[in-house]
Amino acid sequence: MKVYLAGEGYKREFLINKLEKGEDVRSVNVLEAFYYLRKQPQFWPYIHSFGSFMLDSGIFTYLAGTHKGKTDWDKYVEQYADFINTHHIDLFVEVDIESIVGMKEMERLRAKLERLTSKQPIPVWHLCRGKVARVVGYCAAKMQLQERLAKEIVDVLAGALNDDILGMAIVMKGTHLCKTMRGVRNNGQMTVSHLTGEFRTNPEVRAEFLKLIDLDNG
């Protein structure tokens, strides 16, 4: 496992100082954000002086709301790709902005980045992107009601996908140990569901979904 030195502040000055003194920094792995590094040309000559160098797209600045003003994402990707090509960078992170522009647009921009660099970027797995188990764990980690949990999981996924979906459906089966191990000591199993979009308004889609999951035999 490699550990990368990241973050803003005095990191670049510290590393440049060591390099100018002739110190060996090949044991140091560095992670830089393109958003900031593009404005720091004094550091560019040292990119390949380290053990490993990884370039992040710098999208967190936009996600955190730090950047002000509109952004031309096509232009940003083109500048990002040009920097990668100019400095021969092999390890770089994709432009993970699906929560800003939606999954389809993010995938288009990722394909553009791959086309311009002829390389595959490092994917970023946010809670919303295919890792449904992580979303469930994230939502269930706090004090929770099963009925509310089902809705919250759908809301988190839909929000992360920029609501660019026809609908979502979730069915949750759980055992409430407070009922089975103490108190009334009866069957504590409970099933709840939350449907949106086509799953809620289209009877045929809803019937097909319920048939597929086959609750009685699941």
Side-chain angles (χ1 to χ4, degrees):
M1 182 182 72
K2 291 183 178 180
V3 177
Y4 285 78
L5 182 63
E8 290 302 302
Y10 296 101
K11 178 191 66 180
R12 295 189 194 96
E13 290 79 1
F14 172 76
L15 291 172
I16 290 175
N17 184 54
K18 292 180 79 67
L19 285 162
E20 290 179 343
K21 289 180 178 179
E23 296 185 27
D24 188 352
V25 293
R26 287 176 294 179
S27 62
V28 180
N29 302 313
V30 175
L31 171 64
E32 280 284 351
F34 171 66
Y35 181 89
Y36 298 105
L37 185 59
R38 59 182 175 167
K39 304 172 185 176
Q40 303 290 331
Q42 73 277 10
F43 194 76
W44 300 351
Y46 303 109
I47 285 177
H48 294 288
S49 300
F50 309 103
S52 179
F53 181 86
M54 185 185 302
L55 186 64
D56 181 68
S57 62
I59 297 304
F60 181 76
T61 304
Y62 295 91
L63 298 176
T66 305
H67 177 83
K68 304 300 180 184
K70 294 183 179 180
T71 300
D72 183 334
W73 291 112
D74 275 288
K75 184 177 180 180
Y76 189 89
V77 168
E78 290 165 6
Q79 293 174 343
Y80 187 36
D82 182 63
F83 191 92
I84 291 166
N85 293 332
T86 299
H87 298 282
H88 309 290
I89 297 171
D90 293 323
L91 299 177
F92 58 94
V93 178
E94 67 177 345
V95 183
D96 48 317
I97 53 172
E98 70 273 16
S99 62
I100 299 176
V101 301
M103 185 65 77
K104 290 182 180 178
E105 178 65 3
M106 188 280 298
E107 290 176 346
R108 183 187 72 81
L109 292 170
R110 178 172 58 195
K112 181 173 184 174
L113 179 61
E114 291 179 355
R115 185 174 66 254
L116 292 174
T117 61
S118 299
K119 300 173 184 176
Q120 287 191 333
I122 300 170
V124 179
W125 292 106
H126 291 294
L127 289 173
C128 65
R129 215 186 286 177
K131 302 294 186 179
V132 177
R134 292 186 182 179
V135 176
V136 174
Y138 171 77
C139 295
K142 56 189 175 183
M143 294 291 289
Q144 190 63 275
L145 296 175
Q146 187 173 337
E147 299 90 334
R148 187 172 59 196
L149 176 59
K151 182 180 184 302
E152 188 171 330
I153 291 170
V154 169
D155 290 344
V156 169
L157 290 171
L161 293 172
N162 213 26
D163 290 320
D164 188 17
I165 52 177
L166 295 176
M168 298 188 73
I170 181 173
V171 173
M172 296 182 61
K173 297 179 70 175
T175 300
H176 293 252
L177 298 181
C178 59
K179 293 179 63 178
T180 59
M181 300 182 68
R182 59 186 178 85
V184 293
R185 294 179 183 270
N186 62 7
N187 189 345
Q189 288 191 350
M190 181 177 177
T191 301
V192 298
S193 64
H194 186 70
L195 313 177
T196 67
E198 288 290 300
F199 291 101
R200 185 178 183 87
T201 60
N202 190 323
E204 293 183 1
V205 173
R206 182 168 62 251
E208 182 179 2
F209 167 70
L210 294 175
K211 181 179 179 181
L212 287 171
I213 62 173
D214 193 7
L215 283 175
D216 292 334
N217 294 321

